[in-house]
Structure formats: structure tokens, C-alpha cells
């Protein structure tokens, strides 16, 4: 099948972009190197849109959370990623978490069976000459990364991203651990909680500091961590109580054996539909595997833990998007190329998919001979896009999750308790107006 546009990369961004274009009636060639004999340091399967770290798309609260608003906007725009996430949802309180294998298979099947999509398992080493979207992610193959570097004329930035361990549910001691909501917020009890006394916590903290870590490769040295996915041992190095105010915060969690809050707590979240796999929340790490098994089994309730996956760390790269991309994600000096996903410098599953959605829609409009205006900055999509394509300073540009700090401020003085709802109400109104605006025609060449 001849194609109208070439998408390189079958992660969340590339999959979403392919879906948007295919649904708009355009023929898509979707190239994914996994399945062609190629691998990456982080992926484990050949499935499209594989989730390599957490199985959570974070908050699904569209009334008071910027991520939840982004979910809502993407559902409104017919997102494949959100449709499959909803279909394969697992309990996680107010968060949207998924059975990672069922979800990835659902995305793969939807695209492989779409009449407008040709899924090709191949490694692409050079930049396409025709219309294309590069969504190769933070682990772009070396030859293509070199070609991108040559086209951008700028060095890519880099940071480390980390994987949290996954535990088999039947190996958790529920005589010690108990179910509760995240920090006892809400009525559902979707998290398993493992309590630590002060002595147990201090010993665990010391073990993180002293534990043997996997050494960095030469090309990984001097690469900064991303604050939103900090390895737990790096957090521990910042102070003895840092973890107790972060992923091991015990606030609101009454241990049913004592009726009191523990000194610290380790929480696990369901990772698959069967409830047989649970990931340790916030425990991404570079500890050696043997050290992880030894140390994590000192956590009460996990003394007999069996691990389906241990933690890990990999390098991510991204381009200086505010300097290199135009407002519709085109490379300024090669406008046939658009970028999407984590390679643009967004951070997070849903943010990557959102940028893929926008890239797909911008490309579809261009193929129709139209110009699609970027979504308003009052929307979650527009706020994220604005950060990537110009609102941030290129020299200090760092990966960013969507958050209300990217939105235009609410004018006037408002109560803090009302502000989040004002952001989301304003965002919904702005999205509706954007969707109802007729697209202008492209100027004549």
C-alpha cells in the first residue's frame, strides 16, 4: 500500500499519531524496529505502545487535576491510547492504571487491523524525504539519532529514566500488609501498604545508601536525572527523612494491627487485570538486581517477595524543541518532518501520547490543504504544546509533565480551593471553542 505519511516509532506517540491520521482517511506507514530483530535497553515485548515503567497514566480527575483534564481532552478527540486504557483499566483509586499487556495488545491490534495502516517491523536509519512524524522516543536507534542531530544542528540533551520493581501478589504477606487508598484518600482501597517502624526504616534507608549500584556506561556519565522519576537511592541521599515525605509517606494510613500511622510505608499498586502483579510505587532504582532482592525483602510484608521484574535505569534523550520546532511540531529547517512524544522533551506516558495526537492532527490538516491552529493555551493540550514549542527557554529546557503551572494564570484573586476547578472549567470551554472554529485554508504556495 502506498502511503500519504510515514510515522517512525510505535510507542505511545507514534501509535496515537498513526490512529489520528488513519481515522482521518490517510494511508499511514508505521515503522517499528522492535519485531525486526532489534531491541532497546528498556522494552521487553514487541507490542506497540508498550509501557516500560509504571502502569499508571496518573490522575483521571478532570475537575481538579491537569493530567485528568488532558485525559478528558484526548477522549474528546478520539484518542486510541485513552480508549484502550479505559478498556484495560485496573483498580487504582482516582488514577487511571492499566493491565499493561492487555493494553499494549489492544493498541497493536487496533492499528494492525486498520485498513489505512501498514505496520512494518523495520529499523529506519535515515530521515524520510516525504511527510513524516518522528516518534522514536528517548531510545532512538544510533544511526537515526545521528541523522536527527545532523538535521537539527544541535546536541540532544539527556536524562535518566527508571523502572520500578514488580512483585507477584501471592508472595506478599497480607498478615502484615493491608489494603487502603493512596494515603487514605477516597473510599476505594486500591493500594497494598507495607508498614515500617523507625528502626526498620533507618536500616532500609542505610541499605539504599550503601547498596551496590549498576555502574554507568561511559556515555551515560554526567547525564542528569529527571526529577519526576528519581531513583529511590538518589532520593535517600538527599536526607534521612526525604523518603518519608515522598513515596514512603505514612500520612493517613492507619495500620489495622496498631490503629496508628506507621513510621513509614511502602505502597504497591495493581499492575495487571488479574491482580497477580503489583508494582512498588516510587521505587525506580539503579541498585544491582541481587541488592534489590535482598533489600526489598527487608520490608515488612515483602519478606518472601517474588519479583516479576526488578528495577532498572536507562538513558533518555530529547531535542531542544523550543528552539527547533514550530507551533505545529514541524522541524523549522525541514518542515516535512514533525516530532512527537518524549523526544520532544515532554515527560510521561499521557503527555507523549498527547503530543502524538497533536502531531497527527496537524499533519492530517496539512495533507488536506488546511491549517489547524494550535489548541488554546487554556487547554491542557495547548499548555503542553506551548511549553514544548516556545514557552520554555531552550537553553534551560527540561522534560515536563503537564501541570497547571503551564497554563495562563487565572486572573484576579481567587481562593486556592477554587483555582483548580477554574482552570479545568476554563479549559473545557476553550477546547469546545477550538473544536467549533472552522479551519482556515493554507496560503497559496
Amino acid at each position: 500500500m502506498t502511503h500519504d505519511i510515514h510515522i517512525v516509532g510505535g510507542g505511545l506517540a507514534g501509535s496515537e499519531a498513526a490512529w489520528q491520521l488513519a481515522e482521518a482517511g490517510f494511508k499511514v506507514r508505521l515503522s517499528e524496529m522492535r519485531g525486526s530483530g532489534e531491541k532497546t535497553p528498556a522494552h521487553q515485548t514487541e507490542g506497540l505502545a508498550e509501557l516500560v515503567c509504571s502502569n499508571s497514566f496518573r490522575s483521571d480527575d478532570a475537575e481538579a487535576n491537569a493530567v485528568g483534564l488532558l485525559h478528558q481532552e484526548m477522549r474528546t478527540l478520539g484518542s486510541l491510547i485513552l480508549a484502550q486504557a479505559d478498556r484495560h483499566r485496573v483498580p487504582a483509586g482516582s488514577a487511571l492504571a492499566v493491565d499493561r499487556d492487555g493494553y499494549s495488545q489492544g493498541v497493536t491490534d487496533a492499528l494492525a487491523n486498520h485498513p489505512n495502516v501498514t505496520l512494518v517491523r523495520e529499523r529506519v536509519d535515515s530521515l524520510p524525504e516525504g511527510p513524516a512524524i518522528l516518534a522514536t522516543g528517548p531510545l532512538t536507534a544510533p544511526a537515526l539519532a545521528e541523522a536527527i542531530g545532523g538535521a537539527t544542528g544541535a546536541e540532544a540533551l539527556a536524562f535518566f529514566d527508571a523502572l520500578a520493581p514488580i512483585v507477584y501478589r501471592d508472595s506478599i504477606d497480607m498478615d502484615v500488609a493491608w489494603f487502603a487508598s493512596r494515603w487514605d484518600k477516597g473510599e476505594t482501597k486500591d493500594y497494598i501498604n507495607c508498614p515500617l517502624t523507625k528502626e526498620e526504616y533507618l536500616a532500609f534507608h542505610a541499605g539504599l545508601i550503601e547498596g551496590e549500584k549498576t555502574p554507568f556506561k561511559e556515555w551515560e556519565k554526567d547525564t542528569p536525572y529527571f526529577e519526576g522519576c528519581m531513583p529511590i537511592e538518589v532520593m535517600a541521599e538527599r536526607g534521612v527523612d526525604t523518603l518519608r515525605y515522598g513515596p514512603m509517606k505514612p500520612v493517613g494510613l492507619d495500620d489495622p494491627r496498631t490503629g496508628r500511622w506507621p513510621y513509614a510505608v511502602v505502597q504497591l499498586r495493581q499492575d495487571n487485570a488479574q491482580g497477580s502483579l503489583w508494582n512498588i510505587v516510587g521505587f525506580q532504582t539503579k541498585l544491582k538486581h541481587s541488592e534489590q532482592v535482598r533489600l526489598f525483602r527487608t520490608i515488612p510484608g515483602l519478606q518472601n517477595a517474588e519479583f516479576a521484574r526488578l528495577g532498572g535505569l536507562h538513558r533518555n534523550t530529547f531535542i531542544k524543541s523550543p528552539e527547533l520546532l514550530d507551533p505545529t511540531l514541524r522541524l523549522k529547517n525541514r518542515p516535512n518532518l514533525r516530532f512527537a512524544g518524549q523526544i520532544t522533551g515532554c515527560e510521561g506516558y499521557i503527555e507523549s501520547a498527547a503530543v502524538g495526537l497533536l502531531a497527527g492532527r496537524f499533519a492530517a490538516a496539512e495533507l488536506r490543504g488546511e491549517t489547524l491552529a494550535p489548541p488554546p493555551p487554556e487547554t491542557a493540550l495547548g499548555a503542553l504544546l506551548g511549553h514544548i514549542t516556545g514557552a520554555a527557554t531552550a537553553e534551560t529546557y527540561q522534560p515536563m509533565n503537564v501541570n497547571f503551572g503551564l497554563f495562563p494564570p487565572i486572573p484576579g484573586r481567587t481562593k486556592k480551593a477554587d483555582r483548580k476547578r477554574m482552570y479545568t472549567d476554563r479549559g473545557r470551554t476553550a477546547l469546545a471553542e477550538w473544536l467549533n472554529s472552522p479551519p482556515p485554508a493554507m496560503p497559496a504556495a
Side-chain angles (χ1 to χ4, degrees):
M1 178 176 72
T2 59
H3 61 271
D4 300 305
I5 189 165
H6 188 184
I7 297 177
V8 185
L12 284 91
S15 296
E16 185 64 67
W19 181 258
Q20 294 291 325
L21 282 151
E23 287 288 278
F26 296 103
K27 302 296 184 182
V28 178
R29 181 185 183 93
L30 176 58
S31 297
E32 168 53 50
M33 74 176 187
R34 287 175 297 117
S36 67
E38 300 285 341
K39 296 181 179 180
T40 78
H43 292 85
Q44 296 183 342
T45 77
E46 297 177 0
L48 301 181
E50 179 186 340
L51 306 182
V52 300
C53 189
S54 167
N55 70 322
S56 174
F57 289 88
R58 311 196 318 279
S59 175
D60 204 32
D61 178 5
E63 303 300 320
N65 190 285
V67 179
L69 180 63
L70 186 58
H71 289 180
Q72 185 178 70
E73 292 177 1
M74 293 176 67
R75 289 186 179 105
T76 299
L77 295 174
S79 166
L80 172 65
I81 296 302
L82 263 295
Q84 291 299 324
D86 289 336
R87 182 178 178 184
H88 296 282
R89 188 170 192 153
V90 298
S94 62
L96 174 58
V98 303
D99 172 349
R100 68 176 72 229
D101 293 331
Y103 156 79
S104 177
Q105 190 62 55
V107 173
T108 303
D109 291 344
L111 288 168
N113 295 325
H114 199 293
N116 288 336
V117 177
T118 301
L119 175 59
V120 185
R121 301 290 184 167
E122 62 180 353
R123 191 185 74 201
V124 175
D125 290 336
S126 59
L127 299 178
E129 294 298 325
I133 297 174
L134 301 180
T136 48
L139 299 173
T140 301
L144 185 58
E146 185 176 347
I148 292 170
T152 59
E155 292 184 1
L157 305 178
F159 67 100
F160 284 115
D161 202 1
L163 313 179
I166 295 176
V167 176
Y168 289 105
R169 165 66 176 82
D170 58 10
S171 70
I172 302 172
D173 185 353
M174 296 307 296
D175 289 333
V176 176
W178 77 97
F179 282 97
S181 59
R182 184 74 164 151
W183 300 316
D184 210 24
K185 293 181 179 180
E187 297 180 359
T188 59
K189 299 183 183 298
D190 296 330
Y191 291 80
I192 293 176
N193 298 272
C194 299
L196 288 83
T197 64
K198 182 176 182 178
E199 292 74 20
E200 290 166 338
Y201 172 80
L202 293 175
F204 180 76
H205 181 273
L208 289 172
I209 301 293
E210 298 165 3
E212 189 176 4
K213 283 81 174 177
T214 303
F216 290 120
K217 297 180 177 64
E218 186 64 33
W219 52 268
E220 292 179 321
K221 292 178 180 178
D222 301 321
T223 304
Y225 293 113
F226 172 56
E227 286 289 330
C229 205
M230 186 71 62
I232 191 167
E233 62 272 12
V234 176
M235 285 189 280
E237 291 170 355
R238 294 181 171 183
V240 70
D241 287 323
T242 300
L243 297 175
R244 294 184 62 242
Y245 289 92
M248 298 179 71
K249 183 167 67 175
V251 173
L253 295 168
D254 294 328
D255 186 337
R257 297 181 303 166
T258 65
R260 304 182 61 172
W261 297 355
Y263 189 77
V265 69
V266 171
Q267 292 196 309
L268 296 93
R269 180 179 57 231
Q270 186 173 331
D271 202 78
N272 65 346
Q274 293 81 8
S276 59
L277 300 176
W278 290 69
N279 66 66
I280 309 179
V281 178
F283 268 48
Q284 49 272 0
T285 180
K286 198 170 173 61
L287 287 169
K288 285 196 169 181
H289 284 182
S290 59
E291 286 285 85
Q292 292 182 48
V293 173
R294 179 192 64 78
L295 185 60
F296 295 159
R297 283 180 178 167
T298 68
I299 298 168
L302 300 184
Q303 62 272 15
N304 299 312
E306 296 294 333
F307 296 90
R309 184 187 75 188
L310 289 162
L313 196 68
H314 58 274
R315 173 178 165 170
N316 286 347
T317 57
F318 59 97
I319 62 174
K320 291 183 179 180
S321 294
E323 178 181 290
L324 300 171
L325 303 184
D326 76 8
T328 67
L329 299 166
R330 294 184 303 184
L331 189 61
K332 292 177 182 177
N333 63 356
R334 290 194 59 172
N336 67 300
L337 301 177
R338 279 186 166 87
F339 283 79
Q342 278 187 277
I343 197 169
T344 67
C346 65
E347 173 60 26
Y349 293 147
I350 202 62
E351 288 86 348
S352 295
V355 179
L357 182 151
L358 289 171
R361 286 187 161 247
F362 287 137
E366 188 171 338
L367 290 169
R368 286 193 297 265
E370 300 172 350
T371 299
L372 177 63
E378 293 81 7
T379 64
L381 284 164
L384 181 63
L385 178 67
H387 173 76
I388 291 169
T389 60
T393 303
E395 292 307 311
T396 58
Y397 185 54
Q398 285 293 311
M400 182 69 71
N401 297 118
V402 68
N403 62 82
F404 288 129
L406 303 182
F407 290 57
I410 298 293
R413 300 185 64 180
T414 59
K415 293 182 180 179
K416 186 176 181 180
D418 298 333
R419 200 172 303 144
K420 291 180 179 179
R421 181 59 184 264
M422 294 174 73
Y423 276 118
T424 59
D425 284 347
R426 186 182 66 174
R428 278 184 284 273
T429 299
L431 184 72
E433 292 175 351
W434 179 66
L435 290 175
N436 291 327
S437 299
M442 289 184 68

